[in-house]
Every structure is written in structure tokens, then in C-alpha cells.
């Protein structure tokens, strides 16, 4: 049972345009959400996070939006650059309210390709 | 600041054998989590250690076991290897327990023949 879903396996965009990566979740206990980027032969690298008390968090070119009622979050990359080409994972945890283990539940990932 | 390191990089074993994977946490981090990433899937939580004690476990059988040492380095042991254990094993460290982002190592690619 996939609690975190990234329904699109891949996305291709032109350099300079916006990339929008989507993620849906089913577990209402999740209250902390993260995006990781992964290059081949490397471990996932933390990109940006958002807690359930917010609906938007911005860090440079990266913005994450959270819609709790729809159990949906999205990552916007503006402007997209060729170096952003990687696999992006959405992850969720119940860490903020449950305490204890910060088990992360990951989606299957989405491959982003930014064309020059 | 030293990042998370894992060894070995690659490993080939046969069915029924045992394997030990190692992880050195990022400096100052006291929590380590292990994940299994099968081909085409996202990482799946195996277990977490906080101050040398198991602090949460995912849906993995007891033949997956771990240790955390006083210097916060960690081991993942898998007994009686099965073909489906072939995967990338990721170690992640973090400073606090509960909600903080985790920092991943490059992983160990295990192939079971």
C-alpha cells in the first residue's frame, strides 16, 4: 500500500521554464514533508521541507506547496536548469507530532530532465 | 565536516549467505536510519538507531538486524540472504529524533545470486 505516491515517473522541461513535481499522500498522520534529489551513484540529497503548519516554503529557486485538505504537495523549480536533472523523491513523516522515530516514507521517485 | 560514508560500495553474495554493511554517520549526528531501495522504487525504511538503541522498525523480518556503536557508526546485518534482498542499501544520519531532515550516504549495492 503506497502511502506516498508520485504518479508521474518522468518529466521533461526546457531550461528556464518551470518544473512542477507532484506528490500525493494517504496517511493523515503525516505532518512533515520533504523533497530529496538523487543523482546516479549518489545517495539522496535533502532539498527542501515543509511542516503541516505551513502551506508554502521557499528556498531560492525551489518552492514547496502543501494542500492538506487534498493531501497533495508539489515542488516548483523556477527557473529550471540542466543541473536539476535528477530523480526527485517526495517523502513524509509523522515526526513532529508523534516524536520518536523519524521514519521517512518515500514515493517511487520521478525523473526530471531539463533540456538545454 | 565529514558526510555520511558507507562501505563497501558494491557486494555480491549468494543465497543463504550473511552480509554486514557499514555506515559512518555525519559528524555530531546521533541517529542513524537504514533504508532499502529496490530497483525502480523509493527507499523503504528498515530500522533506526538512536544512542545505540533500536528506535523504530519497518516491515522487515528479524534476519535484518543492526547495531550502533558509541561513536554513532552503524552496521546492518542480513542473514540467510534471499534473491529479493538485492537492492541499494542506504544509511542516513540526523541530529535529532523526530522530524529533522536526514543526510544520506551513497549506499551499498548488494547483489544476491
Amino acid at each position: 500500500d503506497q502511502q506516498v505516491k508520485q504518479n508521474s515517473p518522468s518529466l521533461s522541461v526546457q531550461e528556464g521554464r518551470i518544473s512542477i513535481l507532484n506528490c500525493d499522500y494517504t496517511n493523515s498522520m503525516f505532518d512533515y514533508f520533504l523533497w530529496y534529489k538523487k543523482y546516479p551513484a549518489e545517495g539522496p540529497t535533502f532539498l527542501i521541507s515543509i511542516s503541516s503548519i505551513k502551506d508554502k516554503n521557499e528556498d531560492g529557486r525551489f518552492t514547496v506547496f502543501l494542500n492538506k485538505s487534498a493531501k497533495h504537495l508539489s515542488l516548483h523549480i523556477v527557473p529550471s536548469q540542466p543541473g536539476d536533472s535528477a530523480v526527485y523523491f517526495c517523502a513524509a513523516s509523522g515526526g513532529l507530532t508523534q516524536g520518536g522515530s523519524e521514519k521517512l516514507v518515500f514515493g517511487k521517485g520521478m525523473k526530471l530532465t531539463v533540456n538545454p | 565536516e565529514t558526510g555520511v560514508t558507507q562501505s563497501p560500495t558494491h557486494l555480491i553474495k549468494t543465497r543463504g549467505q550473511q552480509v554486514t554493511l557499514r555506515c559512518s554517520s555525519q559528524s555530531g549526528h546521533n541517529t542513524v536510519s537504514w533504508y532499502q531501495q529496490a530497483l525502480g522504487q523509493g527507499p523503504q525504511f528498515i530500522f533506526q538507531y538512536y544512542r545505540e538503541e533500536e528506535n523504530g522498525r519497518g516491515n522487515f523480518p528479524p534476519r535484518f538486524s543492526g547495531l550502533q556503536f558509541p561513536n554513532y557508526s552503524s552496521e546492518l546485518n542480513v542473514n540467510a540472504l534471499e534473491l529479493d534482498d538485492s537492492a541499494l542499501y542506504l544509511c542516513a544520519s540526523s541530529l535529532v529524533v523526530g522530524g529533522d531532515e536526514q543526510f544520506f550516504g551513497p549506499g551499498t549495492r548488494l547483489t544476491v545470486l
Side-chain angles (χ1 to χ4, degrees), chain A residues 2 6 31-32 34 36 38 41-47 49 87 89 93-96 98-109, chain B residues 31 33 35 37 40-45 48 55-59 88 90 93-107:
Chain A
Q2 278 272 305
Q6 294 177 260
D31 56 11
Y32 190 64
L34 309 90
Y36 281 84
K38 187 178 186 301
E42 294 183 13
T45 302
F46 170 74
L47 198 55
S49 63
V87 176
F89 290 99
S93 79
L96 287 180
Q98 293 180 357
S101 173
E102 49 185 24
K103 161 187 173 179
L104 294 179
V105 181
F106 283 84
K108 288 188 177 183
Chain B
T31 303
S33 302
Y35 293 82
Q37 186 180 7
Q41 304 293 317
Q44 193 170 359
F45 177 76
Q48 180 185 89
N55 182 41
R57 188 178 183 92
N59 189 26
L88 180 68
L90 295 161
S93 73
S94 54
L95 182 55
V96 297
V97 176
D100 206 358
E101 58 264 21
Q102 299 178 17
F103 297 86
F104 284 82

Side-chain angles (χ1 to χ4, degrees), chain B residues 10-75:
Chain B
H10 296 89
L11 201 53
I12 299 175
K13 292 284 189 178
T14 56
R15 203 168 41 176
Q17 284 189 309
Q18 179 266 343
V19 69
T20 297
L21 310 181
R22 294 179 174 84
C23 170
S24 290
S25 300
Q26 186 161 318
S27 178
H29 285 185
N30 56 14
T31 303
V32 64
S33 302
W34 286 91
Y35 293 82
Q36 180 196 67
Q37 186 180 7
L39 199 61
Q41 304 293 317
Q44 193 170 359
F45 177 76
I46 303 175
F47 44 56
Q48 180 185 89
Y49 279 81
Y50 172 61
R51 293 185 175 177
E52 303 176 56
E53 297 282 333
E54 188 177 291
N55 182 41
R57 188 178 183 92
N59 189 26
F60 281 81
R63 57 189 186 83
F64 284 78
S65 62
L67 282 173
Q68 187 183 29
F69 301 100
N71 65 354
Y72 302 132
S73 65
S74 176
E75 285 182 357

